[in-house]
Amino acid sequence: MSRRDVVPRAERAEFPAPPPSKCAKVLYYTWRLCSVVFSHFVMISLVVAYCILGAVTFEKLEAAHEKESTMSNDLVMLCRQVKMNISQLRRNTTDSIWTMTKDSALFSEANWTKDVVVMLKDFENAILLEMKVRGWDGSESTDHIQWTFTGALFYSIIVITTIGQYS
């Protein structure tokens, strides 16, 4: 049979397809529902896994730099000295304010406030000096680690949302 022998579509008798059975409809819509649910489930699972993997990676890479075993002894001693200086500075300021308050024969709010403001400004300047010059991070604990799993997970989520925002 050649192409010329083929009957044009308009001349052919077309028979409508039989309507799908109820079983076929149920199977079709179940398949559609499963494909939508599982595609979203897989996508969400991949994002969660990516965040957890990123958190573990960030924690392993960054926490090692904060632990004493990886720091040189000089750096460890410097960090401890700075943290001890801050603790001593806080104690001295508190003691000075208490001694001034206790030893005053006549308590005048204006004079007391003026003296305390001077002491607190000195304390503030000393804190700023420790932060700018010696790199104090605000922690007085010598075993404090900033990169915990929770912090690394938060950082990982922030990275994903920032990248998603600009892409």
Side-chain angles (χ1 to χ4, degrees):
M1 184 179 212
S2 69
R3 287 185 170 192
R4 292 180 188 166
D5 295 337
V6 175
V7 180
R9 187 177 189 144
E11 296 176 11
R12 277 187 286 174
E14 291 192 24
F15 298 103
S21 68
K22 288 185 179 182
C23 183
K25 284 182 182 179
V26 167
L27 285 175
Y28 173 76
Y29 288 115
T30 303
W31 174 254
R32 293 282 301 210
L33 178 68
C34 288
S35 66
V36 168
V37 168
F38 286 123
S39 67
H40 285 83
F41 177 75
V42 167
M43 187 62 77
I44 290 170
S45 298
L46 285 173
V47 169
V48 168
Y50 186 76
C51 288
I52 291 172
L53 179 67
V56 169
T57 304
F58 288 134
E59 182 185 20
K60 295 292 181 194
L61 290 174
E62 297 296 333
H65 295 290
E66 291 184 294
K67 294 182 181 172
E68 291 182 16
S69 62
T70 59
M71 294 175 140
S72 69
N73 286 336
D74 294 335
L75 187 57
V76 170
M77 294 307 290
L78 179 66
C79 289
R80 283 186 179 162
Q81 185 63 37
V82 168
K83 291 178 181 191
M84 288 173 24
N85 286 348
I86 294 296
S87 296
Q88 185 65 36
L89 185 64
R90 179 175 287 119
R91 255 190 316 276
N92 289 346
T93 304
T94 305
D95 290 343
S96 297
I97 292 173
W98 174 245
T99 303
M100 181 193 67
T101 305
K102 185 176 71 168
D103 291 344
S104 64
L106 179 63
F107 186 77
S108 168
E109 183 180 351
N111 290 338
W112 184 85
T113 305
K114 181 181 71 168
D115 292 340
V116 168
V117 165
V118 168
M119 288 181 192
L120 290 177
K121 282 189 180 187
D122 290 342
F123 176 72
E124 181 181 339
N125 289 333
I127 292 286
L128 287 174
L129 177 72
E130 293 290 333
M131 290 173 74
K132 288 181 180 178
V133 174
R134 294 183 185 93
W136 182 55
D137 63 354
S139 169
E140 291 182 44
S141 171
T142 55
D143 59 346
H144 173 73
I145 296 176
Q146 185 179 1
W147 280 96
T148 60
F149 177 76
T150 309
L153 180 64
F154 179 70
Y155 183 73
S156 180
I157 292 170
I158 294 298
V159 167
I160 288 175
T161 58
T162 304
I163 291 171
Q165 183 179 8
Y166 294 109
S167 61

